[in-house]
Amino acid sequence: MTNERKSCEVVFHVRRFNPETDEKPYWQQFTVKVEPGMTVLDGLHQIKRQHDFSLAWRYSCRMGVCGSCGMLINGSATLACNTQILDISDRNLTIAALPNFKIIRDLVSDLSPMFEKHVAVLPYMLRDDIQEMHEPTGEYYQSPDDLLEYLQFTYCIKCGCCMAACPTMATDDAFLGPQPLAQAYRYTIDNRDDGTDRRKKAVTVEHGLFRCHYGGECSAVCPKGVDPARAIQLMKKQLFFDFLKLTKHKTPAHVLGRPEGVERNPKIPEPPPYTVEQE
Ligand code: FES
């Protein structure tokens, strides 16, 4: 971390890979003249202008809105346009494509599996009353509190940083992942939506919701302050209580009591009374 902001030279260690010509990725170094306020995206442009025009990355808005410029910067998945170089280092930067995705070229990851999973969780409003949806006779009322239930999840820009940081994604590329799951929750919790049952089916697949081990990295890296780990846990809770209602249990198994003949350990206090109706 730099305290004083002044011009300096920073070495960018960039992981390069062209699947058409390279057998495997390799690292290349570029020295970039950095001015205070320069972002990593600005540094990449300088490399392209002054050193190597073949360096590839993706960007569009330059202002943390489009989600195109997600990459791994000094080991953390983040947006290049939203990261000032001198906030991180005045000497060295390592830059690589987002992990947990195939590399299209250099710093460009193939995010299409994320978008396919996103579509699979039905990330849009579903209404039972189709006629009313297409020819509304009134407004769908929603209070400020109703809005706050899902508002933070609407800030997702689909940059893929949460998917790249997820330890479950690293070992199971079929896992739906934090971005689609958070969006499934966003619509499920919206009180104008009737698609809860269909969406729950979509997330309780083999590599779905319950594969999440709650590492929490997705929420730690999100550049927009979205908390996918929270969405996933809340959705698990919803499904758990659905299951209890379905099986007519009044209390979860862990507080149902000891099997017959098993003595209670006096050092462990009795759990408090707990019923579905209290939720
Ligand atoms: S260029 Fe749009 S988010 Fe970075």
Side-chain angles (χ1 to χ4, degrees), residues 59-62 64-69 79 81:
Y59 79 103
S60 179
C61 70
R62 295 172 175 244
V65 172
C66 72
S68 302
C69 67
L79 300 177
C81 72

Side-chain angles (χ1 to χ4, degrees), residues 67-83:
S68 302
C69 67
M71 53 187 78
L72 200 67
I73 302 175
N74 278 10
S76 185
T78 190
L79 300 177
C81 72
N82 212 23
T83 306

